[in-house]
Amino acid sequence: MPTTRRATLKALAAAPAALAAPARASAWRPDRPVRLIVPFAPGGNTDLVARVIGPHMGERLGQPVVVENRAGAAGSVAAAAVARARPDGLTLMIGSNGPMAINPITRADLGYDPLRDFAPLGLIVRTPLALVLHRDQPARDVAGLVAHARANPGRVVFGSPGVASTGHLTLEMFNAATGADITHAPYQSGGALTPDLVAGTVAGAFVEVATVLPLHRDGAVRILALTSGGRLSVAPELPTVEESGVPGFRAASFVGVVAPAGVPQEAMAALHDALKAAVAHPEVRRRLEETGSQVASEEEASPAGFAAILRRETEWTREAARRAGLLRS
């Protein structure tokens, strides 16, 4: 009996360690660098976000997170490639409006379905748009712009980074919500639009706030309002479109991370934890917020939360594209 009792106690004492060992052994870690694909050229907001979070994700994962830019077809080239990538957790993509919500609504034969072929890791930021005018335009607020546009139907011209861009679709929704008759002038990119906005070639635009906030503060352009749900800490003096008299009007560029569908749950959990830790880093958060971006809430940053956002953004895009006559056939 004493021998049996000692053996039993010894087995019970060893049980916690035995149970813990498989958990430690099964915790997923990449065995080589992780690729984080940016579906656009270097220099834009998505590229900035990727390069800010990448190093901190790598620290958590124990392998470098290497940012790769793969531009083409408004993000669809990279998205199609990542959708077909091996689902081993070693290939991720920055998921944003173009490849995840706009292209599937406005372009045919993409070769991927964003809601079927990707597994969301989490939202990182939303970046609201600024309703901005050239400094010589007469309107001083949203109501003034709407009145001016109605009095001059078709003669007030807003530029955008391109047909079916977030700026274009936001303009269509603004026209629908206010009855303003603002004409759309598409450019090849935001970089091409900005000089003409400063020069007054176009009256205004809906563009990401980070692009025009310095120009606003220099007096080159005038921001009337932001499309966010609340005022931004970097520019608390700027009202929202909603509080300026257009109820429920919100729009934003979003940036998150997705993986190919089929990545094992253990890997998804480790990747999500790495992303969460990266965004929580004080320096990362500071750099994201100083661009005018709003860091995602805990719910939005979850895989389920980001998936819900993608569904909502797809429906918003569908309605805006319908109004613009851009629904794919």
Side-chain angles (χ1 to χ4, degrees):
M1 285 295 294
T3 301
T4 302
R5 184 181 180 190
R6 283 196 298 271
T8 300
L9 291 174
K10 184 176 180 181
L12 290 173
L19 290 171
R24 286 196 299 269
S26 64
W28 183 85
R29 287 291 182 270
D31 58 3
R32 55 187 183 275
V34 175
R35 296 190 304 153
L36 179 56
I37 309 299
V38 176
F40 303 105
N45 188 53
T46 51
D47 184 61
L48 169 66
V49 172
R51 294 181 188 280
V52 169
I53 67 165
H56 295 278
M57 286 187 69
E59 288 179 9
R60 185 82 168 194
L61 293 169
Q63 287 283 351
V65 172
V66 181
V67 176
E68 296 183 14
N69 296 87
R70 188 169 183 179
S76 295
V77 170
V82 173
R84 296 190 299 268
R86 183 178 179 183
D88 55 9
L90 299 178
T91 302
L92 308 175
M93 187 181 80
I94 291 289
S96 60
N97 302 62
M100 300 303 293
I102 296 175
N103 297 350
I105 299 298
T106 61
R107 295 170 179 254
D109 303 321
L110 282 182
Y112 69 92
D113 180 328
L115 300 181
R116 180 195 66 205
D117 297 334
F118 294 99
L121 279 181
L123 182 71
I124 302 172
V125 292
R126 293 180 184 273
T127 302
L129 307 184
L131 170 49
V132 59
L133 297 180
H134 181 261
R135 61 189 175 193
D136 291 340
Q137 288 293 308
R140 291 295 186 271
D141 54 29
V142 172
L145 170 63
V146 172
H148 177 63
R150 287 176 176 173
N152 298 274
R155 295 173 60 188
V156 178
V157 179
F158 270 32
S160 85
V163 173
S165 64
T166 304
H168 176 203
L169 297 179
T170 301
L171 173 61
E172 296 294 341
M173 296 300 276
F174 182 78
N175 279 339
T178 63
D181 187 6
I182 299 173
T183 298
H184 174 234
Y187 281 71
Q188 292 298 313
S189 66
L193 166 63
T194 302
D196 274 10
L197 177 61
V198 173
T201 306
V202 291
F206 282 95
V207 293
E208 289 184 351
V209 62
T211 301
V212 292
L213 188 56
L215 299 173
H216 167 79
R217 288 175 170 161
D218 288 343
V221 299
R222 182 166 59 255
I223 296 176
L224 299 185
L226 305 175
T227 62
S228 51
R231 298 199 179 199
L232 301 183
S233 59
V234 294
E237 74 281 4
L238 296 175
T240 67
V241 175
E242 190 170 14
E243 70 180 282
S244 299
V246 189
F249 191 88
R250 299 183 187 183
S253 299
F254 65 83
V255 179
V257 177
V258 297
V263 173
Q265 284 302 309
E266 193 174 49
M268 288 292 291
L271 291 165
H272 171 70
D273 286 347
L275 176 61
K276 183 178 179 180
V279 177
H281 192 281
E283 178 62 16
V284 170
R285 193 176 185 96
R286 182 190 67 78
R287 292 190 63 186
L288 294 174
E289 290 179 340
E290 70 184 8
T291 67
S293 295
Q294 297 174 302
V295 176
S297 67
E298 184 173 352
E299 179 183 357
E300 293 172 329
S302 71
F306 190 24
I309 287 167
L310 291 176
R311 291 192 293 270
R312 289 197 300 270
E313 289 290 338
T314 299
E315 290 310 308
W316 182 92
T317 300
R318 192 186 310 279
E319 175 59 19
R322 184 189 66 78
R323 292 183 180 279
L326 295 172
L327 283 178
R328 68 182 183 185
S329 56

